[in-house]
Amino acid sequence: GKHTVNLDTKRAELKVKPLTLEMGIKFKLHVTISGKKINLSEIPDLSIPEEWMRDKLELNFYKSKLGGGGEVENVSYDKQSGTATLTFLTPG
């Protein structure tokens, strides 16, 4: 709809339009797999807090459709080198 905004001595007529926001971020990374750990490299430097990146990695590899996945015990992430190690609770 239309809105009127009072700006000191002037008024501005505004019209509202919908805006589509990008909610996800896609990126590629390289993976080395062992029995209980996955080493990740070439993780892009995104402008998100390190804790968010750890959470994203954990959730991504927790999903079973990604080559088995499983419950993650620990995520060690180094933003400067663009690397991470995920440790699972059980080998798989």
Side-chain angles (χ1 to χ4, degrees):
K2 293 182 181 181
H3 298 278
T4 302
V5 177
N6 294 319
L7 304 169
D8 292 328
T9 59
K10 295 188 181 191
R11 292 174 61 171
E13 298 291 328
L14 304 175
K15 184 176 180 183
V16 178
K17 292 184 179 183
L19 175 67
T20 304
L21 298 174
E22 293 284 330
M23 295 306 290
I25 299 171
K26 275 191 170 181
F27 55 88
K28 276 180 145 179
L29 46 86
H30 295 261
V31 178
T32 305
I33 302 172
S34 74
K36 202 172 172 189
K37 290 186 178 188
I38 295 178
N39 294 319
L40 308 164
S41 61
E42 299 184 36
I43 300 171
D45 184 14
L46 303 176
S47 59
I48 61 174
E50 289 184 35
E51 175 128 346
W52 290 9
M53 179 60 84
R54 281 191 288 276
D55 290 346
K56 278 183 152 311
L57 292 170
E58 180 176 349
L59 288 171
N60 195 35
F61 285 92
Y62 183 81
K63 296 177 184 176
S64 61
K65 68 180 182 179
L66 296 171
E71 194 169 347
V72 177
E73 181 179 11
N74 184 51
V75 178
S76 172
Y77 170 61
D78 182 0
K79 185 173 184 158
Q80 285 192 314
S81 66
T83 61
T85 300
L86 276 79
T87 307
F88 293 93
L89 283 177
T90 57

